[in-house]
Structure formats: C-alpha cells, structure tokens
Amino acid sequence: MEDEGSRQIGYIELLRTYPTFARYFFANVLSTTGTWFTTIALFVLASEVSGLPELAVGLVLVLRMFALALPQPFTGMLADRYSRKGLMIFSNVGSAVCALALLLVEGPEDVVLYYAMTVMLMVLHAVYVPAENAAIPNLVGEGEALMTANAMNSATWSIALAVGASVGGFVVAAYGTDTAFIVDAISFSLSALFISMLTIPQETKKAEG
C-alpha cells in the first residue's frame, strides 16, 4: 500500500479517508460563514443607530478587524492549554447569543449594545480561529493529509467571507436584518452542536505555576 506521506492527497480523498475531519469541516464552514453572514446587516443597523451613517460603517469595519486581530496572540495560548473542542463550542454558543442580542437593537438608544455585540462577535471568532486551526493535526495527523487539510481550511475562510457576506446581503434585502441575525444564530448553534458530537484528541499544556 502506498505511503500516505509520499503522495499528494486530494480534497475529496481527504474527506473520505477522515470522516471525523469531514464532519468537523462542515461545522467549521457553518461557523465561519456565520461570522461574515451578518456583515451587511451590521452595516445597515449601524446607519440606524447613528446619526452619521458613513462614519458608523467605517467604525464598524475598524472595530471588527481590530477585535479579530488583537486578541489572537492571547487566544492562541488558550488552544494549547484548554480543550480546543470546548473553545470552539464556547465561541459558537457565545456568537449565537450575540447575534440574538442584536435583535434588541432598535435605535440610537441601543448604540452601546450594538457596538458591544459587534465587537464580541469578532472577539469570539478570535477565540475560535486558533482552536480550530490547532485541532486539525489532531484529526488528520501529520504529512500530506495535514497539508491538504490546512489548504482546505484556508480556502474555506476566504470563500466564507465572500459567500457569507453576499448571501447575508441578499437576506437583509429580502427579509430584513432581524432575519439575518436569526439565521446567523442558527448557523452558530448548529456548528456548536456538530462539534460537540466529535471526538477531538488533544494533549494540553498546563500553565506554569
């Protein structure tokens, strides 16, 4: 039998060979798409809670990017010391709660709630990303399978950003922001459910006393 580490493994073969990774990959698609699904809904809502729509949209962009990038050096350590599966479930459940909390935003009087939930969604994603990246070797091992899995994961993030934001925009245009937030909460909840059903082996590092 040909050694797995000596040849390139294709995407379809990877999903067939590693069924646990396939289920994990599907859950990851749901979560990552959910992160970007409400992009347009947040922009629309920003214009409703602020008297300066253009400034509000710019502020949302800046806050989302900073809230995603700044915590990752710290959240990366969490993925080494704590259950990656637990962190992913926590992130998804928290994100679902944040999405539902945005349903309470009705006008300028709710501006604090709006920006708090907008930031928290990205902070929770910053918790999710290192955990889901670190979990991949636990599911497929090392070698070519890991290289292919990492490539799939990277492509998923980019595609989810484009597709999630686009589809979310259509939903907002057709049904309004509330529907987009409800769909988003369902997406995160399903991802958390599917991840909770997986077995993800892991050796955690204990914090130094």
Side-chain angles (χ1 to χ4, degrees), residues 27-166:
N28 188 36
V29 168
L30 283 174
S31 180
T32 307
T33 301
T35 298
W36 305 109
F37 185 83
T38 53
T39 300
I40 304 301
L42 288 172
F43 290 162
V44 171
L45 204 55
S47 66
E48 296 178 359
V49 301
S50 171
L52 299 170
E54 295 82 4
L55 179 61
V57 169
L59 182 59
V60 169
L61 281 172
V62 171
L63 286 175
R64 279 169 66 85
M65 291 304 102
F66 271 95
L68 175 61
L70 290 181
Q72 288 199 43
F74 306 100
T75 57
M77 293 187 293
L78 296 178
D80 290 330
R81 295 180 176 178
Y82 301 100
S83 166
R84 293 158 190 168
K85 175 179 175 178
L87 289 171
M88 287 187 283
I89 294 172
F90 169 79
S91 174
N92 279 314
V93 171
S95 296
V97 171
C98 289
L100 292 176
L102 285 165
L103 295 173
L104 301 176
V105 176
E106 297 180 350
E109 66 278 7
D110 301 314
V111 64
V112 174
L113 175 62
Y114 168 78
Y115 282 110
M117 294 303 99
T118 298
V119 169
M120 279 305 303
L121 279 170
M122 298 313 290
V123 169
L124 288 166
H125 190 57
V127 172
Y128 181 87
V129 170
E132 57 102 1
N133 283 331
I136 295 176
N138 303 130
L139 296 173
V140 302
E142 304 292 337
E144 294 296 331
L146 179 58
M147 294 176 62
T148 302
N150 284 333
M152 285 183 67
N153 206 44
S154 297
T156 298
W157 195 91
S158 301
I159 294 172
L161 192 159
V163 174
S166 300

Side-chain angles (χ1 to χ4, degrees), residues 4 7 9-29 136 139-140 144-146 148-153 156:
E4 258 187 12
R7 63 184 179 83
I9 296 177
Y11 295 151
I12 301 301
E13 181 182 1
L14 178 70
L15 296 175
R16 289 177 176 173
T17 306
Y18 298 93
T20 300
F21 174 77
R23 295 193 295 272
Y24 156 85
F25 178 73
F26 177 69
N28 188 36
V29 168
I136 295 176
L139 296 173
V140 302
E144 294 296 331
L146 179 58
T148 302
N150 284 333
M152 285 183 67
N153 206 44
T156 298

